[in-house]
Amino acid sequence: MARYTGAVCRLCRREGQKLFLKGERCYTDKCSVGRRSYAPGEHGQGRKKLSEYGLQLRAKQTTRRFYGILESQFRHYYELAEKREGKTGEQLLSIIETRLDNVVYRLGFATSRPEARQLVVHNHFSVNGRKVNIPSYLVKPGDVISVNEKSRNSEKIKQVIAVNGSRPVPKWLEVNRETLEGKILEMPKREDIDLAVEETLIVELYSK
């Protein structure tokens, strides 16, 4: 399945909530969810009662779209979560949160996850001193993520840091905005993840 390249605001409207895919725009009056809170398309304003399967599917699709993950990747993360101790749904979210593109976003080095993915692909970041350009790279406690030396003078990076300098960082991360470095302190717990989705529905969907 190819990555979605259409208007991302349609995704937010389809899920009925902000997925924060366009950075600062999502916090303004220009946000499409605030202006048109119904689903896109000719029949978007029709009221439909979702079945049990429909609720489970929407939970999975919402989570995938929050993070910009393909179906095959999502299934892989679910299989990893099943092998870990604890609740599968919570382990799933914990694994996804440790993707490099998401960590870059959480540290305030990008205004949105799509932008973080682009910056990672363009070789702007290193993990433990080694350049990594794979957005799906999974970091672990103790890893240090830093802006590469050559990228620190980039106008794009400077602008992003200036805009996101005051954004709060989750407690499982530590950031030093002077050195442009971030550290993974621990694996994220469910209470650390501000994701408006019922992960138990995802588990139910994949358990069928």
Side-chain angles (χ1 to χ4, degrees):
M1 181 185 294
R3 190 173 298 280
Y4 178 80
T5 58
V8 294
C9 289
R10 290 177 63 87
L11 300 181
C12 297
R13 290 176 58 203
R14 178 63 187 87
E15 302 306 334
Q17 61 177 298
K18 294 185 179 184
L19 303 179
F20 301 99
L21 302 177
K22 300 198 76 171
E24 293 302 306
R25 181 188 176 94
C26 299
Y27 298 94
T28 68
D29 293 336
K30 295 182 180 180
C31 176
S32 63
V33 175
R35 298 168 64 184
R36 293 178 291 177
S37 59
Y38 50 88
E42 181 180 353
H43 306 290
Q45 297 187 63
R47 299 182 64 181
K48 298 180 181 179
K49 184 177 181 179
L50 291 177
S51 64
E52 180 182 357
Y53 172 77
L55 291 172
Q56 295 167 351
L57 180 62
R58 291 268 59 83
K60 185 200 69 169
Q61 294 295 75
T62 299
T63 306
R64 280 187 51 227
R65 289 167 173 173
F66 256 117
Y67 294 100
I69 302 175
L70 299 178
E71 177 61 38
S72 58
Q73 290 177 314
F74 197 83
R75 166 68 76 168
H76 173 64
Y77 294 142
Y78 179 81
E79 291 172 354
L80 288 178
E82 278 190 309
K83 298 176 182 178
R84 295 190 177 185
E85 294 183 3
K87 297 181 179 179
T88 300
E90 294 182 3
Q91 291 296 332
L92 172 63
L93 296 182
S94 180
I95 291 171
I96 297 174
E97 276 286 311
T98 59
R99 283 172 54 100
L100 180 57
D101 55 356
N102 179 71
V103 172
V104 166
Y105 166 70
R106 292 292 195 188
L107 289 171
F109 294 156
T111 56
S112 66
R113 290 184 180 89
E115 182 178 65
R117 185 178 304 113
Q118 183 182 51
L119 292 175
V120 170
V121 169
H122 289 175
N123 282 300
H124 288 296
F125 295 93
S126 293
V127 178
N128 299 327
R130 180 180 177 182
K131 289 184 179 180
V132 178
N133 62 355
I134 304 173
S136 61
Y137 180 88
L138 297 179
V139 298
K140 58 185 182 299
D143 284 351
V144 175
I145 292 82
S146 57
V147 178
N148 290 329
E149 195 65 38
K150 289 185 178 180
S151 302
R152 300 187 180 206
N153 294 323
S154 165
E155 289 302 319
K156 174 64 175 178
I157 295 294
K158 289 181 179 179
Q159 180 182 10
V160 168
I161 298 300
V163 170
N164 298 283
S166 59
R167 188 204 297 169
V169 175
K171 64 181 183 180
W172 58 279
L173 296 173
E174 181 181 73
V175 64
N176 186 325
R177 302 195 188 280
E178 296 298 322
T179 60
L180 298 184
E181 291 183 341
K183 185 176 182 179
I184 313 301
L185 300 179
E186 60 182 1
M187 289 294 290
K189 300 179 178 63
R190 182 60 181 97
E191 57 266 27
D192 302 325
I193 305 172
D194 56 348
L195 190 65
V197 66
E198 294 184 56
E199 62 276 6
T200 53
L201 294 178
I202 301 174
V203 176
E204 291 172 3
L205 177 66
Y206 279 126
S207 297
K208 291 183 176 179

